[in-house]
């Protein structure tokens, strides 16, 4: 499995570690957790740790797009953690498709603090 929920998740703040190549089945981890948090809190704040992420398999693209359409209005903030320039650019692209506000961090602790602020 390449998407795992962080043990630092609590309440409306959910963190996920994304590693390797993401498949369609990986969304079965993230989507129900986000759905449950949205149902309970109305909106959520997400952290995606992409430090060990490689790519998303073509078969997962539909699930990715569906996730964005379903939750865009419900994701108040999205923190993207990584160490590559393209990950930083991804944070800028996330706002119109996945979250109301998104930011890039190299330090996971700073990302968690931003989500909790």
């Amino acid at each position: 499995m390449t998407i795992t929920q962080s043990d630092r998740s609590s309440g409306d703040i959910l963190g996920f570690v994304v590693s390797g190549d993401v498949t369609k089945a990986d969304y079965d981890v993230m989507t129900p957790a986000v759905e449950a948090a949205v149902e309970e809190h109305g909106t959520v704040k997400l952290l995606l740790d992409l430090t060990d992420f490689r790519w998303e398999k073509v078969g997962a693209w539909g699930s990715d797009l569906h996730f964005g359409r379903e939750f865009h209005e419900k994701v108040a903030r999205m923190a993207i953690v990584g160490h590559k320039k393209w990950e930083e650019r991804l944070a800028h692209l996330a706002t119109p498709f996945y979250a109301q506000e998104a930011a890039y961090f190299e330090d996971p602790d700073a990302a968690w603090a931003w989500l909790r602020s």
Side-chain angles (χ1 to χ4, degrees), residues 19-20 27 40-41 43 47 49 52 66 70 90 99-101:
S19 59
Y27 282 89
E40 184 175 344
H41 302 284
T43 62
L47 180 139
D49 184 337
D52 294 322
H66 182 273
E70 184 173 348
L90 182 62
Q100 299 301 306
E101 184 179 6

Side-chain angles (χ1 to χ4, degrees), residues 1 3 22-30 59-60 63:
M1 188 167 299
I3 297 179
V22 172
T23 66
K24 181 179 180 181
D26 291 316
Y27 282 89
D28 293 340
V29 172
M30 189 165 65
S63 296

